[in-house]
Amino acid sequence: MQAQPAGPGTTVVSRESSDNLSSGVSWGAILAGAAAAAALSFILLILGMGLGLSSVSPYEYNNGGALGTAAIVWIAFTQLAAAGIGGYMAGRLRAKWAGVQSDEVHFRDTAHGLLAWAVATLVTVAVLAGGMRAVIGGAIDTAGAAAPAVTAGVAAAGANNDGGTNYFSDMVLRSPNGTPATDAERAEINRILLADLANGKINADDRNYLAQTIAKRTGLTQAEAEQRVDLIYAQAKQAAADVKAKAKAAAEEARKAAAHSALWMFVALLLGAFVASLLATVGGRHRDHARVYVRTTI
C-alpha cells in the first residue's frame, strides 16, 4: 500500500492487485494436466504396440533397432495428443487472474502448459524405469554385447558347431580312419589356437606340437603336418578377423540406429512441449471467457 499526496488535507491510497502479489503458478492445475498427459501417453503407447505401429517408446530402450516410419508417426501422435490434453487442462483448470495484463496471462498460461508437459514426462520416465539411460547408452550396450560375440567368434571362428565341437580343432585332429577326437583333446587344441590367435601369430612350440599330433593321427610326415598346421591357423585367423569385422559393423549399425531413434524421440518430445504450451493458452482463454449462468427462482 502506497500513500500519495493529492492536495491539502487529502491522501490517495493506491492498492496493487492481489494477483500481482501472489504466486502465478497453480500447481493443482499443473499436476492435474500432467497426470492426464502421462496416463494418455501410456495408453496410446500400449495401443500402438498392440496395433504393431510402434515397438518402442520415447522412454524405453529400443534394442538397437532404428525407428520405422510408422513408429515415428505414432510416437509423434502420442506426444501431440497427450501433451495437448495435459496442457489444455492445465490452462483451463488454473485459477483465474483478475487484474492481470493480457501479456502476463499469456505468459503464465504458456508456463503452465510447459510445466505440465515437463512433470508428465518426468513421471512417465520414472514409471518406465530408466528410459533416458537406455536411449543414451543404447549404442554402448550394443557394442558391449558385441564384445563377447567377438571372443566367441575367435573361439569358434567361422565354425559349424555340432554337439559342442569346434571346427578348427576337428581339422587338426581329423584322422583318415575316422577315429573321433575326445573332448579333452578338442579343449586342448582350442586353448592353443585361442592363445596363438590372441598373440597374432602361432608359437613355434605350439606349431611343432600340433604338427606332431597331426602326424601321429594321420601318418603324415612332420613337414606335411606343419604345412597343415600353417593352413589351419591361417584359416582360423581369417575367420576370426571376419567375425570381428562383422561384430564391429553390427556395433556401428546399432550406434547409428540409436542416434537415429534418439533424434526422432527428441523431435517428438519437443513437439509435445510446444503443443502443451500452446493449448494451455487456449484453455486459459476458455477459462477466462467462460460464462457463469446464475439460476434465479421467483
Side-chain angles (χ1 to χ4, degrees):
M1 185 178 298
Q2 182 179 0
Q4 298 177 351
T10 62
T11 300
V12 177
V13 179
S14 63
R15 183 186 302 272
E16 295 185 8
S17 172
S18 60
D19 289 310
N20 294 327
L21 299 176
S22 61
S23 173
V25 180
S26 300
W27 281 108
I30 290 173
L31 294 177
L40 183 58
S41 177
F42 181 76
I43 291 172
L44 290 177
L45 287 173
I46 295 299
L47 176 62
M49 294 173 65
L51 296 176
L53 296 176
S54 173
S55 60
V56 295
S57 81
Y59 315 103
E60 292 183 325
Y61 178 36
N62 60 356
N63 297 322
L67 295 179
T69 302
I72 292 172
V73 172
W74 186 256
I75 290 175
F77 169 75
T78 298
Q79 275 295 299
L80 292 176
I85 292 296
Y88 182 84
M89 290 186 63
R92 187 68 182 265
L93 296 177
R94 53 86 173 161
K96 187 175 182 178
W97 301 302
V100 178
Q101 295 181 355
S102 59
D103 291 341
E104 180 66 17
V105 172
H106 182 80
F107 173 79
R108 292 185 183 185
D109 284 335
T110 302
H112 275 63
L114 184 61
L115 287 173
W117 167 85
V119 172
T121 300
L122 293 176
V123 169
T124 307
V125 170
V127 170
L128 295 179
M132 288 302 180
R133 175 258 164 203
V135 171
I136 297 174
I140 299 176
D141 291 344
T142 305
V150 175
T151 304
V154 173
N160 289 325
N161 290 329
D162 184 15
T165 60
N166 183 270
Y167 177 69
F168 293 105
S169 62
D170 281 344
M171 288 180 64
V172 172
L173 299 172
R174 187 175 298 165
S175 64
N177 57 10
T179 303
T182 64
D183 291 340
E185 291 174 332
R186 291 193 184 96
E188 181 184 22
I189 300 301
N190 284 336
R191 289 193 296 269
I192 293 174
L193 289 176
L194 279 172
D196 290 335
L197 288 172
N199 292 330
K201 63 180 181 178
I202 188 169
N203 184 275
D205 293 335
D206 293 338
R207 181 173 180 269
N208 183 57
Y209 176 77
L210 293 176
Q212 290 177 356
T213 302
I214 293 174
K216 181 179 178 181
R217 291 181 60 86
T218 63
L220 295 175
T221 64
Q222 182 69 14
E224 292 174 337
E226 289 178 355
Q227 290 180 356
R228 176 183 287 191
V229 171
D230 293 338
L231 178 62
I232 293 173
Y233 179 79
Q235 292 177 352
K237 187 175 182 179
Q238 181 61 44
D242 292 342
V243 171
K244 187 175 182 180
K246 289 179 181 179
K248 287 184 177 180
E252 178 64 16
E253 186 67 22
R255 184 194 66 78
K256 292 180 180 179
H260 176 269
S261 301
L263 177 61
W264 283 112
M265 290 172 188
F266 164 77
V267 173
L269 291 172
L270 192 62
L271 285 175
F274 173 76
V275 171
S277 302
L278 177 64
L279 288 187
T281 62
V282 175
R285 285 199 301 268
H286 290 173
R287 165 68 174 81
D288 291 339
H289 296 86
R291 294 183 179 181
V292 179
Y293 295 91
V294 180
R295 184 177 181 181
T296 59
T297 58
I298 299 177

